[in-house]
Amino acid sequence: MNQKARQTRRAASIGAATALGGLGMVGRSALAGPDESTTDEASRGTAPLVVGQQRRQPNVLLVTIDTLRTDHVGPGGARGVETPVLDKLAAQGAYGAAYVQLPQTLPNHASILTGTYIQTHGLRTTLWDQARPQVPTLDQIFRRAGYRTAGIVSWYSFDNEFTNLVRAWDHWEQVVMRLGAPERVMPDETRALFRAGTDMGKALDGDARTTTEAALGWLDANALRRDAGVAQPWFFWLHYRDPHYPFTPPPGFRPTAPVPAALDGGHESLGKITGGYAPTPGELAAILAAYDGEIAYTDAQLGRVMEKLDTLGLAQDTVVVVTGDHGESFLEHGPWDWLHGHSVYEGSVRVPLIVRYPAGGTGTSGQAGAAMTKPGVRFTEVVQSADIAPTVLELCGLAVPGTAGTAAAVGNTATTGTTEAMEARSFARLLAGQEEVGPERAAWGTIFDDSQSYVVQGEWKLIRWNDPARSRVGNELYHLASDPRETYDYRREVPDVAARLSAQLEGWLAAKDSGRPWRYWER
Ligand SMILES: [Zn+2]
């Protein structure tokens, strides 16, 4: 993106990226949303494409929990927050962390669903960009492979009008609540509220219990459904929003300590900090406790979904993936480093990643009879959000768009005439505790206007600032293994590492600016 475009983006994104309450923007016309159940004829009617047909293909449950910091869930080492469901999943499956491609909800979900970087799928700015139709999404690929597809999300802005991500879902549902009330707001009304210029973040909320009820309903009706005597595998994306601000957990999950100076996790107190107020350590602790309460509440609700899988007898044959779409910053690097969307430091860009698939594998990476995910595996390699899509496809024995010999068969060819490759790299071998071949893993990401971008490789992270307006231009280098809080810049002490990572980042940015795919492990 050139400088002028970046400035335009910055101006256009003020509301989306910085307004606490969300988005008081109007001006889009024809906000006709998708039908609640959509079809994509282009991806229907094609014979299932199956690479490894030794076994019935597994179901896939992809759970994205909004605003989930790695160090605030049990397996990530958190204290003071109880996440027994995530802990158990991590113990049964493989656990690690993922770096996000952009620390905002819609852009990074688009990377999760397409296996591509932000610049490739094109959904860079929340509510202003849509994913490019040439880039295939997981729902399209799974449907084409014969899967039943369902997406149940907890926020209005996943609406196809804003995303072009609602493509091939047999069931699509936006479970959105009126803020502070146990009342569901249906898409027609959320669109009307948006058109009327409503501050959506202060009008609406997500609720994990209500979202879970919808999820259980879908599973009851579809998980074991047989059509003409044939059971169809399914791909189910379930999104929870509760850890996203405001931090207002329900009774039973609220902080037990008294809230100092009435500064809780609600919009008003968060807005006060956005406005420049420096909270006391006690006040910040109270806000963090409220954030943790939202995580614990979501964890408890997710437990009901996991129990349902057990009850239905599907735990063995379902790939469960749990991750965050981005983290949250709590002033670690200054008053500006607050909430998400503005920072590429660890709090905002590192999220948990759990994958559980107990069934014996015969897929492309598993040894026959060996678990596809080895219980209790902890992987420390650098993985990115976009890597999830090719990994899930590999675990299901499905071809990854762009893999040699398969590209023409899998993409969105019928609608666009083009097939685009996934840019990300499967980490399936890591889940089975196996060694990988190929170059060292790395992750690349940015924020909406590229004023900060980053690369992580091994134990090192390089951040490139390009923000003349704030007089911050240049690189920073952090040794994450010894300094996970990114407090000491090693750039001058290990110039060779700084130069290597800087070249990596420049290469990525140049490829992305020119529209070239970035499949780093093939170089
Ligand atoms: Zn989000």
Short mmCIF file of all heavy atoms in Angstrom, two decimals, residues 178-181 201 204-208 241-255 263-270 286-295 297-298:
data_model
loop_
_atom_site.label_atom_id
_atom_site.label_comp_id
_atom_site.label_asym_id
_atom_site.label_seq_id
_atom_site.Cartn_x
_atom_site.Cartn_y
_atom_site.Cartn_z
N ARG A 178 -28.81 -7.81 22.75
CA ARG A 178 -28.84 -6.41 23.12
C ARG A 178 -27.96 -6.24 24.34
O ARG A 178 -28.01 -7.05 25.27
CB ARG A 178 -30.28 -5.96 23.43
CG ARG A 178 -30.53 -4.51 23.11
CD ARG A 178 -31.99 -4.12 23.22
NE ARG A 178 -32.91 -4.82 22.32
CZ ARG A 178 -32.99 -4.64 21.00
NH1 ARG A 178 -32.23 -3.76 20.40
NH2 ARG A 178 -33.85 -5.33 20.26
N LEU A 179 -27.10 -5.23 24.34
CA LEU A 179 -26.15 -5.06 25.44
C LEU A 179 -26.90 -4.93 26.76
O LEU A 179 -27.80 -4.10 26.90
CB LEU A 179 -25.28 -3.81 25.22
CG LEU A 179 -24.19 -3.56 26.27
CD1 LEU A 179 -23.10 -4.61 26.19
CD2 LEU A 179 -23.59 -2.17 26.11
N GLY A 180 -26.53 -5.76 27.71
CA GLY A 180 -27.11 -5.67 29.05
C GLY A 180 -28.50 -6.26 29.17
O GLY A 180 -29.14 -6.08 30.21
N ALA A 181 -28.97 -6.94 28.15
CA ALA A 181 -30.32 -7.51 28.22
C ALA A 181 -30.29 -8.91 27.62
O ALA A 181 -29.59 -9.16 26.65
CB ALA A 181 -31.31 -6.63 27.46
N GLY A 201 -21.08 -1.16 19.22
CA GLY A 201 -20.42 -1.76 20.38
C GLY A 201 -21.13 -1.45 21.68
O GLY A 201 -20.98 -2.17 22.65
N LEU A 204 -24.92 -3.59 21.31
CA LEU A 204 -25.01 -5.04 21.16
C LEU A 204 -23.91 -5.74 21.96
O LEU A 204 -22.95 -5.12 22.38
CB LEU A 204 -24.88 -5.41 19.67
CG LEU A 204 -25.85 -4.74 18.71
CD1 LEU A 204 -25.47 -5.07 17.27
CD2 LEU A 204 -27.30 -5.14 19.00
N ASP A 205 -24.08 -7.03 22.12
CA ASP A 205 -23.07 -7.83 22.82
C ASP A 205 -23.21 -9.27 22.35
O ASP A 205 -24.17 -9.63 21.67
CB ASP A 205 -23.29 -7.73 24.34
CG ASP A 205 -22.02 -8.02 25.15
OD1 ASP A 205 -20.99 -8.38 24.53
OD2 ASP A 205 -22.06 -7.88 26.37
N GLY A 206 -22.24 -10.07 22.73
CA GLY A 206 -22.38 -11.51 22.52
C GLY A 206 -22.66 -12.18 23.85
O GLY A 206 -22.39 -11.62 24.90
N ASP A 207 -23.21 -13.36 23.81
CA ASP A 207 -23.43 -14.09 25.06
C ASP A 207 -23.17 -15.57 24.81
O ASP A 207 -23.88 -16.22 24.05
CB ASP A 207 -24.85 -13.90 25.58
CG ASP A 207 -25.10 -14.80 26.80
OD1 ASP A 207 -24.33 -14.68 27.78
OD2 ASP A 207 -26.02 -15.64 26.75
N ALA A 208 -22.17 -16.09 25.49
CA ALA A 208 -21.72 -17.46 25.22
C ALA A 208 -22.82 -18.48 25.49
O ALA A 208 -22.90 -19.50 24.81
CB ALA A 208 -20.48 -17.78 26.05
N ARG A 241 -17.82 -14.42 21.55
CA ARG A 241 -17.32 -13.04 21.61
C ARG A 241 -17.06 -12.52 23.02
O ARG A 241 -16.47 -11.46 23.20
CB ARG A 241 -18.33 -12.10 20.94
CG ARG A 241 -17.81 -10.66 20.86
CD ARG A 241 -18.69 -9.77 20.05
NE ARG A 241 -18.02 -8.53 19.70
CZ ARG A 241 -18.11 -7.42 20.42
NH1 ARG A 241 -18.83 -7.40 21.51
NH2 ARG A 241 -17.49 -6.32 20.03
N ASP A 242 -17.45 -13.25 24.03
CA ASP A 242 -17.49 -12.67 25.37
C ASP A 242 -16.21 -12.00 25.87
O ASP A 242 -16.29 -10.94 26.50
CB ASP A 242 -17.97 -13.73 26.37
CG ASP A 242 -19.39 -14.17 26.04
OD1 ASP A 242 -19.57 -14.79 24.98
OD2 ASP A 242 -20.30 -13.85 26.81
N PRO A 243 -15.01 -12.54 25.63
CA PRO A 243 -13.82 -11.85 26.13
C PRO A 243 -13.53 -10.52 25.44
O PRO A 243 -12.68 -9.76 25.91
CB PRO A 243 -12.69 -12.86 25.87
CG PRO A 243 -13.37 -14.18 25.78
CD PRO A 243 -14.69 -13.88 25.12
N HIS A 244 -14.21 -10.23 24.35
CA HIS A 244 -14.09 -8.89 23.74
C HIS A 244 -14.70 -7.86 24.69
O HIS A 244 -15.69 -8.14 25.35
CB HIS A 244 -14.83 -8.91 22.40
CG HIS A 244 -14.56 -7.73 21.52
ND1 HIS A 244 -15.03 -6.47 21.80
CD2 HIS A 244 -13.87 -7.62 20.36
CE1 HIS A 244 -14.65 -5.64 20.85
NE2 HIS A 244 -13.92 -6.32 19.95
N TYR A 245 -14.11 -6.65 24.75
CA TYR A 245 -14.70 -5.63 25.62
C TYR A 245 -16.13 -5.31 25.21
O TYR A 245 -16.45 -5.47 24.06
CB TYR A 245 -13.82 -4.36 25.63
CG TYR A 245 -13.55 -3.74 24.27
CD1 TYR A 245 -14.52 -3.01 23.58
CD2 TYR A 245 -12.29 -3.88 23.68
CE1 TYR A 245 -14.26 -2.44 22.35
CE2 TYR A 245 -12.02 -3.30 22.44
CZ TYR A 245 -13.01 -2.59 21.79
OH TYR A 245 -12.75 -2.03 20.58
N PRO A 246 -17.01 -4.86 26.07
CA PRO A 246 -16.77 -4.59 27.50
C PRO A 246 -16.60 -5.88 28.30
O PRO A 246 -17.18 -6.90 27.95
CB PRO A 246 -18.06 -3.85 27.92
CG PRO A 246 -19.11 -4.40 27.01
CD PRO A 246 -18.41 -4.62 25.69
N PHE A 247 -15.83 -5.78 29.38
CA PHE A 247 -15.56 -6.94 30.22
C PHE A 247 -16.61 -6.99 31.33
O PHE A 247 -16.43 -6.41 32.40
CB PHE A 247 -14.14 -6.87 30.79
CG PHE A 247 -13.09 -6.61 29.74
CD1 PHE A 247 -12.17 -5.59 29.91
CD2 PHE A 247 -13.03 -7.38 28.58
CE1 PHE A 247 -11.19 -5.34 28.95
CE2 PHE A 247 -12.06 -7.13 27.61
CZ PHE A 247 -11.14 -6.11 27.80
N THR A 248 -17.70 -7.64 31.03
CA THR A 248 -18.84 -7.65 31.96
C THR A 248 -19.34 -9.09 32.11
O THR A 248 -20.41 -9.44 31.59
CB THR A 248 -19.97 -6.75 31.43
OG1 THR A 248 -20.24 -7.12 30.05
CG2 THR A 248 -19.59 -5.29 31.48
N PRO A 249 -18.58 -9.93 32.81
CA PRO A 249 -18.98 -11.33 32.94
C PRO A 249 -20.27 -11.46 33.76
O PRO A 249 -20.58 -10.58 34.57
CB PRO A 249 -17.80 -11.97 33.65
CG PRO A 249 -17.12 -10.85 34.36
CD PRO A 249 -17.32 -9.63 33.51
N PRO A 250 -21.00 -12.54 33.55
CA PRO A 250 -22.24 -12.75 34.29
C PRO A 250 -21.95 -13.15 35.74
O PRO A 250 -20.81 -13.47 36.08
CB PRO A 250 -22.92 -13.88 33.53
CG PRO A 250 -21.80 -14.64 32.91
CD PRO A 250 -20.73 -13.63 32.60
N PRO A 251 -22.99 -13.12 36.58
CA PRO A 251 -22.81 -13.54 37.98
C PRO A 251 -22.17 -14.92 38.03
O PRO A 251 -22.44 -15.78 37.20
CB PRO A 251 -24.24 -13.57 38.52
CG PRO A 251 -24.99 -12.63 37.64
CD PRO A 251 -24.37 -12.72 36.29
N GLY A 252 -21.32 -15.09 39.01
CA GLY A 252 -20.61 -16.35 39.13
C GLY A 252 -19.23 -16.30 38.49
O GLY A 252 -18.38 -17.13 38.78
N PHE A 253 -19.03 -15.33 37.61
CA PHE A 253 -17.73 -15.19 36.94
C PHE A 253 -17.15 -13.79 37.15
O PHE A 253 -16.16 -13.43 36.53
CB PHE A 253 -17.87 -15.47 35.44
CG PHE A 253 -18.28 -16.90 35.16
CD1 PHE A 253 -19.61 -17.23 35.05
CD2 PHE A 253 -17.32 -17.90 35.06
CE1 PHE A 253 -19.99 -18.54 34.81
CE2 PHE A 253 -17.69 -19.21 34.82
CZ PHE A 253 -19.04 -19.54 34.70
N ARG A 254 -17.81 -13.02 38.02
CA ARG A 254 -17.30 -11.66 38.27
C ARG A 254 -16.18 -11.71 39.29
O ARG A 254 -16.13 -12.62 40.11
CB ARG A 254 -18.45 -10.78 38.79
CG ARG A 254 -19.46 -10.49 37.70
CD ARG A 254 -20.64 -9.68 38.20
NE ARG A 254 -21.64 -9.55 37.13
CZ ARG A 254 -22.93 -9.33 37.33
NH1 ARG A 254 -23.40 -9.20 38.56
NH2 ARG A 254 -23.75 -9.25 36.31
N PRO A 255 -15.31 -10.71 39.24
CA PRO A 255 -14.22 -10.66 40.23
C PRO A 255 -14.79 -10.65 41.64
O PRO A 255 -15.80 -9.98 41.91
CB PRO A 255 -13.52 -9.34 39.91
CG PRO A 255 -13.91 -9.01 38.52
CD PRO A 255 -15.26 -9.59 38.30
N LEU A 263 -13.84 1.41 38.89
CA LEU A 263 -13.29 1.21 37.54
C LEU A 263 -13.36 -0.28 37.22
O LEU A 263 -12.48 -1.05 37.56
CB LEU A 263 -11.86 1.71 37.49
CG LEU A 263 -11.35 2.15 36.12
CD1 LEU A 263 -12.12 3.36 35.61
CD2 LEU A 263 -9.88 2.46 36.17
N ASP A 264 -14.43 -0.68 36.58
CA ASP A 264 -14.60 -2.09 36.26
C ASP A 264 -14.25 -2.29 34.78
O ASP A 264 -13.52 -1.51 34.19
CB ASP A 264 -16.02 -2.55 36.58
CG ASP A 264 -17.05 -1.72 35.83
OD1 ASP A 264 -16.66 -0.95 34.92
OD2 ASP A 264 -18.25 -1.84 36.16
N GLY A 265 -14.77 -3.31 34.17
CA GLY A 265 -14.44 -3.56 32.77
C GLY A 265 -15.51 -3.07 31.80
O GLY A 265 -15.49 -3.44 30.63
N GLY A 266 -16.41 -2.24 32.29
CA GLY A 266 -17.48 -1.74 31.42
C GLY A 266 -16.98 -0.67 30.46
O GLY A 266 -15.86 -0.17 30.56
N HIS A 267 -17.84 -0.32 29.52
CA HIS A 267 -17.47 0.65 28.49
C HIS A 267 -16.97 1.96 29.09
O HIS A 267 -16.00 2.55 28.61
CB HIS A 267 -18.69 0.96 27.61
CG HIS A 267 -18.84 0.00 26.46
ND1 HIS A 267 -17.83 -0.25 25.57
CD2 HIS A 267 -19.90 -0.77 26.07
CE1 HIS A 267 -18.24 -1.13 24.67
NE2 HIS A 267 -19.49 -1.47 24.95
N GLU A 268 -17.63 2.42 30.15
CA GLU A 268 -17.30 3.74 30.68
C GLU A 268 -15.87 3.77 31.21
O GLU A 268 -15.09 4.68 30.90
CB GLU A 268 -18.30 4.11 31.79
CG GLU A 268 -18.24 5.57 32.14
CD GLU A 268 -19.33 5.94 33.15
OE1 GLU A 268 -20.41 5.32 33.13
OE2 GLU A 268 -19.05 6.82 33.97
N SER A 269 -15.52 2.74 31.99
CA SER A 269 -14.17 2.76 32.57
C SER A 269 -13.11 2.51 31.50
O SER A 269 -12.03 3.10 31.53
CB SER A 269 -14.07 1.76 33.71
OG SER A 269 -14.45 0.47 33.30
N LEU A 270 -13.42 1.65 30.53
CA LEU A 270 -12.44 1.42 29.46
C LEU A 270 -12.25 2.69 28.64
O LEU A 270 -11.14 3.05 28.25
CB LEU A 270 -12.90 0.27 28.56
CG LEU A 270 -13.10 -1.10 29.26
CD1 LEU A 270 -13.54 -2.14 28.24
CD2 LEU A 270 -11.83 -1.56 29.96
N ALA A 286 -8.43 -5.05 38.52
CA ALA A 286 -9.88 -5.30 38.52
C ALA A 286 -10.38 -5.51 37.09
O ALA A 286 -11.23 -6.38 36.83
CB ALA A 286 -10.61 -4.13 39.17
N ILE A 287 -9.85 -4.72 36.16
CA ILE A 287 -10.26 -4.87 34.75
C ILE A 287 -9.79 -6.23 34.21
O ILE A 287 -10.54 -6.93 33.52
CB ILE A 287 -9.70 -3.69 33.93
CG1 ILE A 287 -10.46 -2.41 34.30
CG2 ILE A 287 -9.81 -3.97 32.44
CD1 ILE A 287 -9.85 -1.14 33.74
N LEU A 288 -8.57 -6.59 34.55
CA LEU A 288 -8.06 -7.90 34.10
C LEU A 288 -8.89 -9.04 34.69
O LEU A 288 -9.15 -10.04 34.01
CB LEU A 288 -6.59 -8.05 34.50
CG LEU A 288 -5.61 -7.22 33.68
CD1 LEU A 288 -4.24 -7.18 34.34
CD2 LEU A 288 -5.49 -7.78 32.27
N ALA A 289 -9.32 -8.88 35.94
CA ALA A 289 -10.14 -9.93 36.55
C ALA A 289 -11.48 -10.05 35.84
O ALA A 289 -12.02 -11.15 35.67
CB ALA A 289 -10.34 -9.64 38.04
N ALA A 290 -12.01 -8.92 35.40
CA ALA A 290 -13.28 -8.97 34.65
C ALA A 290 -13.07 -9.64 33.29
O ALA A 290 -13.90 -10.43 32.84
CB ALA A 290 -13.83 -7.56 34.49
N TYR A 291 -11.95 -9.32 32.64
CA TYR A 291 -11.60 -9.97 31.37
C TYR A 291 -11.47 -11.48 31.58
O TYR A 291 -12.03 -12.29 30.81
CB TYR A 291 -10.29 -9.36 30.87
CG TYR A 291 -9.64 -10.06 29.70
CD1 TYR A 291 -10.26 -10.14 28.46
CD2 TYR A 291 -8.36 -10.63 29.83
CE1 TYR A 291 -9.64 -10.77 27.39
CE2 TYR A 291 -7.74 -11.25 28.77
CZ TYR A 291 -8.38 -11.33 27.55
OH TYR A 291 -7.76 -11.96 26.49
N ASP A 292 -10.78 -11.86 32.65
CA ASP A 292 -10.63 -13.29 32.95
C ASP A 292 -11.98 -13.95 33.23
O ASP A 292 -12.19 -15.12 32.89
CB ASP A 292 -9.70 -13.48 34.15
CG ASP A 292 -8.23 -13.22 33.80
OD1 ASP A 292 -7.91 -13.20 32.60
OD2 ASP A 292 -7.43 -13.03 34.73
N GLY A 293 -12.88 -13.20 33.83
CA GLY A 293 -14.21 -13.74 34.09
C GLY A 293 -14.94 -14.08 32.80
O GLY A 293 -15.62 -15.11 32.69
N GLU A 294 -14.78 -13.24 31.80
CA GLU A 294 -15.39 -13.50 30.49
C GLU A 294 -14.79 -14.76 29.86
O GLU A 294 -15.49 -15.56 29.22
CB GLU A 294 -15.18 -12.31 29.56
CG GLU A 294 -15.85 -11.02 29.99
CD GLU A 294 -17.30 -10.92 29.55
OE1 GLU A 294 -17.97 -11.96 29.38
OE2 GLU A 294 -17.77 -9.77 29.36
N ILE A 295 -13.47 -14.93 30.04
CA ILE A 295 -12.82 -16.13 29.49
C ILE A 295 -13.33 -17.38 30.21
O ILE A 295 -13.67 -18.39 29.58
CB ILE A 295 -11.28 -16.00 29.62
CG1 ILE A 295 -10.77 -14.89 28.70
CG2 ILE A 295 -10.59 -17.33 29.29
CD1 ILE A 295 -9.29 -14.56 28.90
N TYR A 297 -16.16 -17.80 31.74
CA TYR A 297 -17.56 -18.03 31.35
C TYR A 297 -17.62 -18.72 29.97
O TYR A 297 -18.36 -19.69 29.78
CB TYR A 297 -18.28 -16.68 31.30
CG TYR A 297 -19.69 -16.71 30.78
CD1 TYR A 297 -20.65 -17.58 31.31
CD2 TYR A 297 -20.08 -15.83 29.76
CE1 TYR A 297 -21.96 -17.58 30.83
CE2 TYR A 297 -21.38 -15.82 29.28
CZ TYR A 297 -22.32 -16.70 29.81
OH TYR A 297 -23.60 -16.71 29.32
N THR A 298 -16.83 -18.23 29.05
CA THR A 298 -16.80 -18.85 27.72
C THR A 298 -16.32 -20.29 27.81
O THR A 298 -16.88 -21.19 27.16
CB THR A 298 -15.88 -18.04 26.79
OG1 THR A 298 -16.31 -16.67 26.79
CG2 THR A 298 -15.92 -18.58 25.37
#
